[in-house]
Amino acid sequence: MIGFEFTPEQKRLQEKARRFAKEVILPVAARHDRDGTFPLDVMKKAHREGFLTPLVPKEYGGQGLGVLDNCIIAEELAAGCMGIYVSIFVSTLAIYPIIQFGTEDQKERFLKPICSKFSMASYCLSEVTVGSDPSSMKTTASLDGDHYLLNGTKMWITNGGYADYYLVFATMDPQKRHQGIICLIVPSHLEGVSHGEPIDKMGQRASNTTAVRFNQVRVPKDNLLAGEGEGFKKAMAALDITRPMIAIGAVGVARSAMELATRYAKKRIQFGVPIAEHQAIQFLLADMAKDIEAARLLVYKSAWLADRGVKNSQEAAMAKAFAADVAMRVTTDAVQIYGGLGYTKWHPVEKLMRDAKAIQIYEGTAQIMRLIIARQMLQEVERTF
Ligand SMILES: Cc1cc2nc3c(=O)[nH]c(=O)nc-3n(C[C@H](O)[C@H](O)[C@H](O)COP(=O)(O)OP(=O)(O)OC[C@H]3O[C@@H](n4cnc5c(N)ncnc54)[C@H](O)[C@@H]3O)c2cc1C
């Protein structure tokens, strides 16, 4: 059976997140975008609302929500500001592998404190020379008694300057490529951990993105989340769960742009009538509405599969690729509808366009998403007829 109606609980979550976006995120979004500063106050409030730990089971102090439930929340937060939403989201990206693959001891040691006390986590996969192809990573780990010795620099780390915990992927043997990668939980207070200055980005400027360095960091063996042969698989498995949450962020950004553009088109008079009465503008608006709805449905399906424990790599990649492209197209068209005003800092549509661009790049680029989709298509041997 297919149902399109939210449960009363999902409606409550949506309302709560919408209120948070309106009252807490929107009033400060433009300032943090302009200054490129991190909204620490907003993050603390988000923690109190449980937005930083939505998928953590209740027994460890989290919200115990599903992926779809969290997507409903995420659309609202991202509609307020994608940079702030991604700062909230990234803790889930870093925590989820602990929920999915952690030992009981790791869940007790890391999930409980992350939920009970305001803290943030970061996901450290990328490096300066390692993006779409993590198998060539340079960060190394080697066993030294009861510890792993961690060395290397991670790049583009969201919340890098503020995280209390880093989920770090490193190689035990670069020759082994994917098979050599392990995953460690690294508290930021360990000696030898440091981070760079915030990177001055085009968009999502409220999010804090830095390099994170690990210099002879001694990580207890008990903090190993995934050993050789497992680290890469687990990194990718976690992305299948979190990609719908980024894709729905794109839906939130696009929705904001569409709402602004629609309102403006009804007010702006040219050739004696509101521009909304010109069919060319109506077509732009109609394409926005249909694409946003299609993107949302792709996200819901990929999230629904994730909640049922069904492998959703292809659906998550479709949702992420499609929604990110929709956000880019819709925000660009929103700028077009605003005309010259859209190209200024006086109106928020230019921010939405800058924010949208990053979604086509992180959590797997637009091209990598298509490779994942095509790979599965080419593997499938079933035929309908
Ligand atoms: C704002 C922001 C936040 C980020 N946050 C994090 C984070 O928290 N943690 C983290 O680990 N990383 C993070 N990243 C890094 C992000 O995941 C990478 O930028 C992304 O994976 C792409 O890697 P790259 O930049 O090295 O590009 P590259 O991999 O060098 O790719 C460059 C171009 O080549 C294309 N390309 C590469 N390989 C192929 C191929 N086989 N076929 C076709 N095209 C290809 C890509 O699609 C892209 O267009 C963040 C990035 C940004 C911009």
Side-chain angles (χ1 to χ4, degrees):
M1 285 299 289
I2 295 177
F4 290 99
E5 209 171 10
F6 287 171
T7 62
E9 174 61 4
Q10 287 170 334
K11 281 186 197 154
R12 192 190 64 76
L13 290 172
Q14 186 183 44
E15 276 160 27
K16 176 175 146 177
R18 193 168 284 177
R19 199 165 50 246
F20 189 85
K22 186 170 173 214
E23 294 172 5
V24 181
I25 296 181
L26 263 178
V28 299
R31 174 165 58 82
H32 288 294
D33 173 59
R34 189 178 55 243
D35 303 344
T37 48
F38 188 66
L40 201 53
D41 275 359
V42 177
M43 296 298 289
K44 286 180 182 166
K45 288 178 185 159
H47 175 257
R48 286 201 286 274
E49 297 292 341
F51 294 147
L52 294 186
T53 52
L55 302 189
V56 178
K58 283 188 175 161
E59 58 194 289
Y60 302 105
Q63 309 307 303
L65 296 177
V67 180
L68 180 55
D69 296 333
N70 195 42
C71 284
I72 293 166
I73 294 173
E75 180 178 335
E76 302 307 317
L77 303 181
C81 174
M82 186 66 193
I84 294 179
Y85 166 61
V86 87
S87 312
I88 293 171
F89 155 82
V90 99
S91 275
T92 294
L93 173 61
I95 292 171
Y96 190 75
I98 306 177
I99 302 172
Q100 203 178 13
F101 307 115
T103 61
E104 196 47 46
D105 167 63
Q106 288 169 342
K107 290 179 188 179
E108 287 284 331
R109 281 192 296 130
F110 297 109
L111 297 183
K112 279 193 173 165
I114 285 173
C115 293
S116 61
K117 186 173 149 278
F118 170 61
S119 26
M120 287 178 270
S122 289
Y123 183 88
C124 300
L125 183 66
S126 307
E127 300 175 6
V128 171
T129 56
V130 177
S132 301
D133 175 18
S135 69
S136 58
M137 82 176 40
K138 308 279 184 295
T139 298
T140 58
S142 54
L143 252 182
D144 181 20
D146 285 344
H147 290 78
Y148 284 95
L149 212 53
L150 185 63
N151 278 292
T153 301
K154 293 294 178 178
M155 186 61 181
W156 308 112
I157 304 308
T158 304
N159 289 354
Y162 290 88
D164 302 275
Y165 302 93
Y166 297 109
L167 194 77
V168 184
F169 295 88
T171 179
M172 295 285 286
D173 179 356
Q175 303 299 323
K176 291 189 185 164
R177 298 185 60 80
H178 297 97
Q179 295 298 324
I181 295 175
I182 66 166
C183 176
L184 293 164
I185 308 164
V186 184
S188 61
H189 64 73
L190 292 187
E191 205 179 324
V193 179
S194 62
H195 61 82
E197 289 297 307
I199 296 168
D200 194 7
K201 304 190 296 298
M202 172 201 284
Q204 303 196 12
R205 290 169 54 75
S207 68
N208 171 264
T209 317
T210 70
V212 180
R213 282 181 288 276
F214 302 95
N215 182 15
Q216 297 283 82
V217 178
R218 290 177 68 75
V219 185
K221 239 168 110 177
D222 291 348
N223 289 15
L224 178 75
L225 188 71
E228 277 187 270
E230 291 297 312
F232 182 76
K233 270 191 248 163
K234 290 182 175 172
M236 295 303 119
L239 291 173
D240 285 347
I241 303 300
T242 54
R243 272 186 189 132
M245 298 181 212
I246 281 296
I248 200 72
V251 171
V253 172
R255 187 186 92 194
S256 282
M258 176 181 71
E259 287 172 1
L260 286 167
T262 308
R263 209 178 310 157
Y264 183 75
K266 286 164 84 174
K267 277 194 327 209
R268 174 71 174 170
I269 309 286
Q270 287 297 288
F271 297 94
V273 292
I275 58 170
E277 291 190 22
H278 301 304
Q279 201 179 50
I281 299 290
Q282 289 177 8
F283 282 7
L284 286 179
L285 294 174
D287 279 344
M288 290 179 180
K290 80 170 166 48
D291 289 353
I292 290 170
E293 185 64 11
R296 189 182 285 118
L297 291 175
L298 278 177
V299 174
Y300 283 180
K301 183 175 174 198
S302 64
W304 181 85
L305 289 170
D307 283 336
R308 270 150 194 77
V310 178
K311 186 150 178 59
N312 69 338
S313 309
Q314 192 183 32
E315 289 81 1
M318 283 180 181
K320 160 71 167 62
F322 188 78
D325 290 352
V326 164
M328 200 62 240
R329 197 160 56 238
V330 168
T331 54
T332 306
D333 286 348
V335 168
Q336 190 68 21
I337 288 175
Y338 267 78
L341 274 185
Y343 201 63
T344 68
K345 301 262 180 196
W346 302 334
H347 282 273
V349 283
E350 63 83 31
K351 169 185 182 292
L352 294 171
M353 188 175 160
R354 287 186 284 108
D355 286 352
K357 186 61 212 171
I359 314 173
Q360 291 180 314
I361 298 172
Y362 58 44
E363 286 255 327
T365 66
Q367 289 70 36
I368 297 301
M369 291 303 97
R370 284 160 173 83
L371 288 183
I372 293 171
I373 297 165
R375 193 186 308 139
Q376 188 150 338
M377 288 169 70
L378 297 171
Q379 275 170 3
E380 274 170 3
V381 285
E382 282 172 37
R383 295 176 57 172
T384 311
F385 300 109

mmCIF file of all heavy atoms in Angstrom, residues 90 123-126 131-132 155-158 201 209 361-363 365 367-368 371, ligand 1:
data_model
loop_
_atom_site.group_PDB
_atom_site.id
_atom_site.type_symbol
_atom_site.label_atom_id
_atom_site.label_comp_id
_atom_site.label_asym_id
_atom_site.label_seq_id
_atom_site.Cartn_x
_atom_site.Cartn_y
_atom_site.Cartn_z
ATOM 1 N N VAL A 90 24.970 17.558 9.945
ATOM 2 C CA VAL A 90 26.224 16.806 9.797
ATOM 3 C C VAL A 90 26.532 15.944 11.022
ATOM 4 O O VAL A 90 27.190 14.911 10.911
ATOM 5 C CB VAL A 90 27.376 17.763 9.408
ATOM 6 C CG1 VAL A 90 28.225 18.166 10.589
ATOM 7 C CG2 VAL A 90 28.237 17.145 8.316
ATOM 8 N N TYR A 123 32.118 14.475 10.072
ATOM 9 C CA TYR A 123 32.407 13.279 9.266
ATOM 10 C C TYR A 123 33.631 13.598 8.420
ATOM 11 O O TYR A 123 33.583 14.502 7.577
ATOM 12 C CB TYR A 123 31.175 13.030 8.407
ATOM 13 C CG TYR A 123 31.167 11.814 7.519
ATOM 14 C CD1 TYR A 123 30.715 10.586 7.991
ATOM 15 C CD2 TYR A 123 31.553 11.901 6.187
ATOM 16 C CE1 TYR A 123 30.652 9.476 7.161
ATOM 17 C CE2 TYR A 123 31.489 10.789 5.346
ATOM 18 C CZ TYR A 123 31.041 9.580 5.849
ATOM 19 O OH TYR A 123 30.959 8.488 5.021
ATOM 20 N N CYS A 124 34.724 12.874 8.649
ATOM 21 C CA CYS A 124 35.995 13.242 8.011
ATOM 22 C C CYS A 124 36.418 12.196 6.989
ATOM 23 O O CYS A 124 37.148 11.243 7.323
ATOM 24 C CB CYS A 124 37.076 13.392 9.064
ATOM 25 S SG CYS A 124 36.718 14.638 10.299
ATOM 26 N N LEU A 125 36.009 12.392 5.759
ATOM 27 C CA LEU A 125 36.364 11.466 4.676
ATOM 28 C C LEU A 125 37.298 12.166 3.675
ATOM 29 O O LEU A 125 38.341 11.661 3.316
ATOM 30 C CB LEU A 125 35.083 10.982 3.984
ATOM 31 C CG LEU A 125 35.233 9.949 2.873
ATOM 32 C CD1 LEU A 125 35.756 8.624 3.426
ATOM 33 C CD2 LEU A 125 33.881 9.699 2.180
ATOM 34 N N SER A 126 36.905 13.369 3.227
ATOM 35 C CA SER A 126 37.635 14.044 2.138
ATOM 36 C C SER A 126 39.005 14.556 2.580
ATOM 37 O O SER A 126 39.230 14.839 3.748
ATOM 38 C CB SER A 126 36.819 15.238 1.621
ATOM 39 O OG SER A 126 35.533 14.831 1.280
ATOM 40 N N GLY A 131 38.661 13.226 -3.071
ATOM 41 C CA GLY A 131 37.268 13.652 -3.010
ATOM 42 C C GLY A 131 36.353 12.526 -3.415
ATOM 43 O O GLY A 131 35.986 11.667 -2.597
ATOM 44 N N SER A 132 36.058 12.472 -4.716
ATOM 45 C CA SER A 132 35.136 11.448 -5.202
ATOM 46 C C SER A 132 35.693 10.035 -5.063
ATOM 47 O O SER A 132 34.937 9.072 -5.053
ATOM 48 C CB SER A 132 34.799 11.722 -6.674
ATOM 49 O OG SER A 132 34.220 13.000 -6.802
ATOM 50 N N MET A 155 39.956 17.452 4.738
ATOM 51 C CA MET A 155 39.629 18.760 4.138
ATOM 52 C C MET A 155 38.119 18.894 3.983
ATOM 53 O O MET A 155 37.425 17.889 3.846
ATOM 54 C CB MET A 155 40.332 18.829 2.775
ATOM 55 C CG MET A 155 40.236 20.160 2.074
ATOM 56 S SD MET A 155 41.000 21.471 3.057
ATOM 57 C CE MET A 155 40.716 22.867 2.009
ATOM 58 N N TRP A 156 37.624 20.119 4.002
ATOM 59 C CA TRP A 156 36.206 20.426 3.764
ATOM 60 C C TRP A 156 35.312 19.896 4.879
ATOM 61 O O TRP A 156 34.173 19.502 4.606
ATOM 62 C CB TRP A 156 35.704 19.821 2.446
ATOM 63 C CG TRP A 156 36.502 20.133 1.234
ATOM 64 C CD1 TRP A 156 37.247 19.258 0.509
ATOM 65 C CD2 TRP A 156 36.623 21.391 0.589
ATOM 66 N NE1 TRP A 156 37.824 19.896 -0.535
ATOM 67 C CE2 TRP A 156 37.462 21.212 -0.512
ATOM 68 C CE3 TRP A 156 36.102 22.669 0.850
ATOM 69 C CZ2 TRP A 156 37.814 22.249 -1.367
ATOM 70 C CZ3 TRP A 156 36.449 23.695 0.015
ATOM 71 C CH2 TRP A 156 37.287 23.476 -1.075
ATOM 72 N N ILE A 157 35.796 19.889 6.100
ATOM 73 C CA ILE A 157 35.025 19.225 7.148
ATOM 74 C C ILE A 157 33.993 20.186 7.750
ATOM 75 O O ILE A 157 34.343 21.196 8.375
ATOM 76 C CB ILE A 157 35.969 18.642 8.235
ATOM 77 C CG1 ILE A 157 36.978 17.705 7.565
ATOM 78 C CG2 ILE A 157 35.160 17.928 9.314
ATOM 79 C CD1 ILE A 157 36.394 16.620 6.661
ATOM 80 N N THR A 158 32.731 19.838 7.542
ATOM 81 C CA THR A 158 31.631 20.662 8.070
ATOM 82 C C THR A 158 31.615 20.532 9.589
ATOM 83 O O THR A 158 31.709 19.421 10.120
ATOM 84 C CB THR A 158 30.293 20.194 7.454
ATOM 85 O OG1 THR A 158 30.412 20.264 6.034
ATOM 86 C CG2 THR A 158 29.145 21.079 7.916
ATOM 87 N N LYS A 201 33.516 30.436 1.795
ATOM 88 C CA LYS A 201 32.770 29.758 0.729
ATOM 89 C C LYS A 201 31.824 30.691 -0.030
ATOM 90 O O LYS A 201 31.457 31.751 0.447
ATOM 91 C CB LYS A 201 31.934 28.621 1.343
ATOM 92 C CG LYS A 201 32.749 27.612 2.160
ATOM 93 C CD LYS A 201 31.937 26.393 2.526
ATOM 94 C CE LYS A 201 30.754 26.660 3.432
ATOM 95 N NZ LYS A 201 31.116 27.211 4.747
ATOM 96 N N THR A 209 33.322 25.279 7.720
ATOM 97 C CA THR A 209 34.024 24.253 6.936
ATOM 98 C C THR A 209 35.520 24.486 7.100
ATOM 99 O O THR A 209 36.007 25.585 6.784
ATOM 100 C CB THR A 209 33.646 24.367 5.440
ATOM 101 O OG1 THR A 209 32.245 24.584 5.319
ATOM 102 C CG2 THR A 209 34.034 23.138 4.667
ATOM 103 N N ILE A 361 27.553 19.270 -5.014
ATOM 104 C CA ILE A 361 28.962 18.882 -4.848
ATOM 105 C C ILE A 361 29.174 17.934 -3.672
ATOM 106 O O ILE A 361 29.801 16.888 -3.823
ATOM 107 C CB ILE A 361 29.845 20.154 -4.681
ATOM 108 C CG1 ILE A 361 29.761 21.018 -5.950
ATOM 109 C CG2 ILE A 361 31.286 19.776 -4.344
ATOM 110 C CD1 ILE A 361 30.421 22.379 -5.831
ATOM 111 N N TYR A 362 28.633 18.301 -2.465
ATOM 112 C CA TYR A 362 28.978 17.444 -1.320
ATOM 113 C C TYR A 362 28.046 16.242 -1.201
ATOM 114 O O TYR A 362 27.049 16.150 -1.877
ATOM 115 C CB TYR A 362 29.071 18.238 -0.012
ATOM 116 C CG TYR A 362 27.860 19.017 0.453
ATOM 117 C CD1 TYR A 362 26.585 18.492 0.411
ATOM 118 C CD2 TYR A 362 28.021 20.296 0.987
ATOM 119 C CE1 TYR A 362 25.488 19.198 0.875
ATOM 120 C CE2 TYR A 362 26.934 21.019 1.456
ATOM 121 C CZ TYR A 362 25.676 20.454 1.405
ATOM 122 O OH TYR A 362 24.610 21.159 1.858
ATOM 123 N N GLU A 363 28.438 15.334 -0.312
ATOM 124 C CA GLU A 363 27.745 14.025 -0.142
ATOM 125 C C GLU A 363 27.693 13.255 -1.465
ATOM 126 O O GLU A 363 26.733 12.533 -1.727
ATOM 127 C CB GLU A 363 26.331 14.216 0.405
ATOM 128 C CG GLU A 363 26.286 14.581 1.858
ATOM 129 C CD GLU A 363 25.858 13.412 2.747
ATOM 130 O OE1 GLU A 363 25.053 12.563 2.335
ATOM 131 O OE2 GLU A 363 26.366 13.370 3.858
ATOM 132 N N THR A 365 29.135 14.021 -5.629
ATOM 133 C CA THR A 365 28.799 15.037 -6.629
ATOM 134 C C THR A 365 27.667 14.549 -7.545
ATOM 135 O O THR A 365 27.334 13.358 -7.556
ATOM 136 C CB THR A 365 30.015 15.373 -7.521
ATOM 137 O OG1 THR A 365 30.317 14.201 -8.295
ATOM 138 C CG2 THR A 365 31.229 15.789 -6.709
ATOM 139 N N GLN A 367 27.840 14.029 -10.595
ATOM 140 C CA GLN A 367 28.353 12.997 -11.515
ATOM 141 C C GLN A 367 28.460 11.648 -10.792
ATOM 142 O O GLN A 367 28.101 10.603 -11.354
ATOM 143 C CB GLN A 367 29.731 13.412 -12.074
ATOM 144 C CG GLN A 367 29.707 14.555 -13.066
ATOM 145 C CD GLN A 367 29.365 15.910 -12.417
ATOM 146 O OE1 GLN A 367 29.763 16.181 -11.285
ATOM 147 N NE2 GLN A 367 28.630 16.746 -13.129
ATOM 148 N N ILE A 368 28.935 11.672 -9.568
ATOM 149 C CA ILE A 368 29.080 10.406 -8.827
ATOM 150 C C ILE A 368 27.703 9.785 -8.570
ATOM 151 O O ILE A 368 27.539 8.555 -8.641
ATOM 152 C CB ILE A 368 29.879 10.625 -7.512
ATOM 153 C CG1 ILE A 368 31.306 11.101 -7.831
ATOM 154 C CG2 ILE A 368 29.883 9.370 -6.645
ATOM 155 C CD1 ILE A 368 32.140 10.166 -8.685
ATOM 156 N N LEU A 371 26.842 7.941 -11.565
ATOM 157 C CA LEU A 371 27.616 6.693 -11.680
ATOM 158 C C LEU A 371 26.982 5.597 -10.835
ATOM 159 O O LEU A 371 26.905 4.438 -11.254
ATOM 160 C CB LEU A 371 29.063 6.916 -11.218
ATOM 161 C CG LEU A 371 29.976 7.743 -12.109
ATOM 162 C CD1 LEU A 371 31.383 7.788 -11.525
ATOM 163 C CD2 LEU A 371 30.032 7.143 -13.518
HETATM 164 C C1 LIG B 1 30.484 23.064 1.598
HETATM 165 C C2 LIG B 1 31.127 21.713 1.592
HETATM 166 C C3 LIG B 1 31.047 20.911 2.728
HETATM 167 C C4 LIG B 1 31.656 19.661 2.757
HETATM 168 N N1 LIG B 1 31.608 18.901 3.908
HETATM 169 C C5 LIG B 1 32.308 17.736 3.982
HETATM 170 C C6 LIG B 1 32.378 16.984 5.206
HETATM 171 O O1 LIG B 1 31.779 17.353 6.220
HETATM 172 N N2 LIG B 1 33.125 15.859 5.224
HETATM 173 C C7 LIG B 1 33.807 15.400 4.134
HETATM 174 O O2 LIG B 1 34.454 14.368 4.237
HETATM 175 N N3 LIG B 1 33.770 16.096 2.968
HETATM 176 C C8 LIG B 1 33.032 17.236 2.864
HETATM 177 N N4 LIG B 1 33.003 17.953 1.680
HETATM 178 C C9 LIG B 1 33.765 17.473 0.541
HETATM 179 C C10 LIG B 1 32.891 16.927 -0.554
HETATM 180 O O3 LIG B 1 32.315 15.713 -0.161
HETATM 181 C C11 LIG B 1 33.755 16.814 -1.810
HETATM 182 O O4 LIG B 1 34.001 18.143 -2.242
HETATM 183 C C12 LIG B 1 33.104 16.007 -2.898
HETATM 184 O O5 LIG B 1 33.056 14.653 -2.555
HETATM 185 C C13 LIG B 1 33.838 16.152 -4.231
HETATM 186 O O6 LIG B 1 35.199 15.951 -4.066
HETATM 187 P P1 LIG B 1 36.245 17.018 -4.660
HETATM 188 O O7 LIG B 1 35.841 18.361 -4.227
HETATM 189 O O8 LIG B 1 37.605 16.548 -4.309
HETATM 190 O O9 LIG B 1 36.032 16.937 -6.214
HETATM 191 P P2 LIG B 1 36.679 15.842 -7.204
HETATM 192 O O10 LIG B 1 36.403 14.466 -6.707
HETATM 193 O O11 LIG B 1 38.069 16.211 -7.500
HETATM 194 O O12 LIG B 1 35.778 16.068 -8.495
HETATM 195 C C14 LIG B 1 35.957 17.182 -9.353
HETATM 196 C C15 LIG B 1 34.957 17.052 -10.481
HETATM 197 O O13 LIG B 1 35.205 15.841 -11.210
HETATM 198 C C16 LIG B 1 34.027 15.046 -11.229
HETATM 199 N N5 LIG B 1 34.411 13.631 -11.167
HETATM 200 C C17 LIG B 1 35.244 13.020 -10.297
HETATM 201 N N6 LIG B 1 35.333 11.702 -10.559
HETATM 202 C C18 LIG B 1 34.513 11.474 -11.610
HETATM 203 C C19 LIG B 1 34.153 10.306 -12.353
HETATM 204 N N7 LIG B 1 34.637 9.091 -12.034
HETATM 205 N N8 LIG B 1 33.304 10.451 -13.375
HETATM 206 C C20 LIG B 1 32.776 11.673 -13.696
HETATM 207 N N9 LIG B 1 33.070 12.817 -13.045
HETATM 208 C C21 LIG B 1 33.934 12.702 -12.011
HETATM 209 C C22 LIG B 1 33.243 15.458 -10.005
HETATM 210 O O14 LIG B 1 31.865 15.156 -10.148
HETATM 211 C C23 LIG B 1 33.517 16.949 -9.982
HETATM 212 O O15 LIG B 1 32.650 17.598 -10.871
HETATM 213 C C24 LIG B 1 32.358 19.199 1.620
HETATM 214 C C25 LIG B 1 32.424 20.000 0.488
HETATM 215 C C26 LIG B 1 31.832 21.243 0.458
HETATM 216 C C27 LIG B 1 31.931 22.084 -0.778
#
